[in-house]
Amino acid sequence: VPSFLIMKLWPQTRHLANLISFTRIIGVVCIFWITPYSQNFWQLIALHIYIVVCFTDFLDGWVARKLGIVSDIGKILDPLADKILVLVFLPLLEMQAITSFPVFIILAREFAIMGLRVASAKSGTIIGASLSGKIKTAITLPVCGILLGRVTVLEVPDLPFFLKPLNELVKWVHIWPTWVFNALIWTMVAVTLWSFFDYFGSFIWQYFTRQAGGDEEKAKFNIRAIIPNTVSFLNMSFGFLAVGLALVGHIHVANFLLLLGMLFDIIDGFLARKLNVQSKWGEKIDSLADMVSFGIAPGFVLFTVIYLQSGLLISGIGFGLLFSGSVIYRLKRFNKSGHSSHFEGLPAPIGAAIVLLSSVSTLITSPYLLMGIFTFTSVLMVSKIRYVHISYAAKTKLRFIRIPSFILYNLSLINLIGFKDQPHLYSYEGLLFFISLYLITPLFKLEDVS
């Protein structure tokens, strides 16, 4: 029957799709009212309601397109009903059919996508439904229904005849092994994450294309620039987190984050060069990250170590400020001079690595020896001694230390995060020794690094 004839015979048909969407909301309310259930009668009632609710998720859109009655109210009501439908995971969590972390991922994705849609709509761009979103829905809805049937309940012997077929299906679900449910849940989580990144990627592309005035090449450049800048931001975040950990005495965890930040400092520059997205803005973020992770945060670590070992509060503050100030001065001088084959003064990451490894070394126990190392390192950073660029160091006579340094670096990270069964192997001291060999590079001739 043509849609215009249906509309003429029954004018209220123009509200049919919206009524179906509203029915989905009512159905979810009924499921919340029934749950948590303790008898299979109410479990089967909830499952029947849920099946009808899932069917309406397909039906309302089909009716709206078939009859040509897409409306502004429907554009709001349909996604609202979908978001409310996802809340069915909350009673599943209450009935212990699923753990909290998968539920968090699923609900966080829904709220995040809703935020992206609102932000995109304000700028005049609509993020349409993607294939990943449809696949996510096609997997999530059946898995949620299976989990509703997974709940163990008391058996009611005399069930109404219309509930018996579904009851047999529920009994079959109950004999499934646990790994099947876990596989379904984590498959659902994986598809949920894929769907989020798909939507997020579309949002980022549309946003940067709009900012670039429709210039797709410029938009691609700006998007690529996000990658190394994000790595630099993570490095800076590690530094801020390390400050808090140091102040509460978690020196090893703070050092773990700062040593990991040194790896990120290498990665961000490498990515910027490979992606050809080097910019003044990226350099500023990288410099700020270096200041926090290699200057300010190690200063707090030094203060805490000296205070805990000797009880000298003023000395701890003084040496912490001395090191942080030396790094800040060193970085400002570097920003003015720019990149070259040599550094003027000891590079801040090397100085930070020396003092951090010294602070956790089992062989360096005297606070006065530590103070001497900290002072010596600070002096080298503010000095005008020419140190070969770290990327060129691999071409010097020290090239043999690359592999053992890499191994000791990873062992140090493992020890710092507290794997008690891991043998110590003096990884801190070994790594400190190889890094300290960098201090002799000013003795090398220029042709040694060419």
Side-chain angles (χ1 to χ4, degrees), residues 11 30 63 94 145 167 176 208 251 271 284 287 364 389-390 421:
C30 292
V63 169
E94 181 184 7
N167 187 48
W176 291 3
F208 278 94
I251 301 299
L271 290 174
K284 289 180 179 179
S287 180
I364 305 175
H389 195 284
I390 298 175
D421 297 333

Side-chain angles (χ1 to χ4, degrees), residues 151-319:
V151 179
T152 302
V153 292
L154 296 175
E155 293 285 338
V156 175
D158 298 325
L159 290 172
F161 72 94
F162 64 89
L163 295 180
K164 290 183 178 180
L166 188 57
N167 187 48
E168 295 301 318
L169 186 60
V170 169
K171 289 181 179 179
W172 177 58
V173 169
H174 281 174
I175 65 175
W176 291 3
T178 303
W179 69 264
V180 173
F181 294 106
N182 290 335
L184 290 173
I185 290 171
W186 290 110
T187 299
M188 177 176 61
V189 170
V191 175
T192 297
L193 290 173
W194 169 45
S195 172
F196 167 74
F197 287 117
D198 190 17
Y199 276 102
F200 184 73
S202 298
F203 172 78
I204 290 295
W205 173 248
Q206 292 178 13
Y207 173 81
F208 278 94
T209 303
R210 187 170 59 253
Q211 292 293 316
D215 187 343
E216 294 189 357
E217 290 302 319
K218 184 178 180 181
K220 290 177 182 178
F221 176 86
N222 293 334
I223 291 173
R224 290 199 307 269
I226 293 177
I227 299 173
N229 292 342
T230 300
V231 176
S232 297
F233 181 77
L234 288 173
N235 179 17
M236 183 166 53
S237 301
F238 291 159
F240 282 119
L241 185 57
V243 169
L245 291 168
L247 289 176
V248 295
H250 294 294
I251 301 299
H252 283 70
V253 183
N255 283 359
F256 169 80
L257 291 175
L258 296 179
L259 286 178
L260 192 61
M262 293 174 188
L263 177 62
F264 277 51
D265 183 56
I266 297 173
I267 293 174
D268 62 4
F270 172 79
L271 290 174
R273 291 187 296 272
K274 284 295 183 181
L275 297 174
N276 194 26
V277 290
Q278 294 166 295
S279 64
K280 294 293 184 182
W281 172 245
E283 290 177 1
K284 289 180 179 179
I285 296 178
D286 182 59
S287 180
L288 182 59
D290 291 348
M291 188 179 299
V292 173
S293 295
F294 307 144
I296 297 175
F300 278 91
V301 171
L302 301 187
F303 157 71
T304 305
V305 169
I306 293 174
Y307 178 69
L308 291 177
Q309 289 192 6
S310 64
L312 301 174
L313 177 62
I314 302 301
S315 296
I317 295 175
F319 279 95

Side-chain angles (χ1 to χ4, degrees), residues 305-449:
V305 169
I306 293 174
Y307 178 69
L308 291 177
Q309 289 192 6
S310 64
L312 301 174
L313 177 62
I314 302 301
S315 296
I317 295 175
F319 279 95
L321 291 175
L322 172 65
F323 183 83
S324 297
S326 300
V327 171
I328 293 172
Y329 173 80
R330 169 71 182 75
L331 290 173
K332 285 187 175 180
R333 186 173 63 186
F334 171 76
N335 291 335
K336 290 181 180 179
S337 62
H339 293 271
S340 66
S341 61
H342 285 80
F343 293 119
E344 193 174 79
L346 185 68
I350 298 295
I354 290 174
V355 299
L356 293 173
L357 291 169
S358 299
S359 68
V360 293
S361 172
T362 56
L363 300 180
I364 305 175
T365 57
S366 170
Y368 300 102
L369 178 57
L370 283 174
M371 293 179 195
I373 294 174
F374 303 157
T375 304
F376 178 67
T377 305
S378 300
V379 170
L380 289 179
M381 286 193 295
V382 300
S383 71
K384 293 188 176 182
I385 300 175
R386 287 166 58 85
Y387 286 90
V388 66
H389 195 284
I390 298 175
S391 61
Y392 288 93
K395 302 177 182 179
T396 69
K397 297 174 183 178
L398 297 178
R399 64 175 65 91
F400 72 91
I401 73 171
R402 288 180 297 176
I403 295 178
S405 296
F406 177 76
I407 295 173
L408 289 169
Y409 173 80
N410 286 282
L411 285 176
S412 296
L413 289 179
I414 292 173
N415 286 325
L416 284 170
I417 55 177
F419 283 103
K420 302 300 183 182
D421 297 333
Q422 176 68 29
H424 188 271
L425 300 177
Y426 293 103
S427 58
Y428 309 143
E429 292 77 11
L431 183 58
L432 177 60
F433 170 75
F434 285 121
I435 290 177
S436 298
L437 290 178
Y438 179 79
L439 301 182
I440 68 174
T441 57
L443 303 177
F444 295 160
K445 296 179 180 179
L446 183 61
E447 55 266 22
D448 290 336
V449 297

Side-chain angles (χ1 to χ4, degrees), residues 101-114:
F101 185 68
V103 174
F104 166 76
I105 294 293
I106 293 167
L107 296 183
R109 181 264 182 198
E110 296 299 326
F111 286 113
I113 296 299
M114 183 170 59

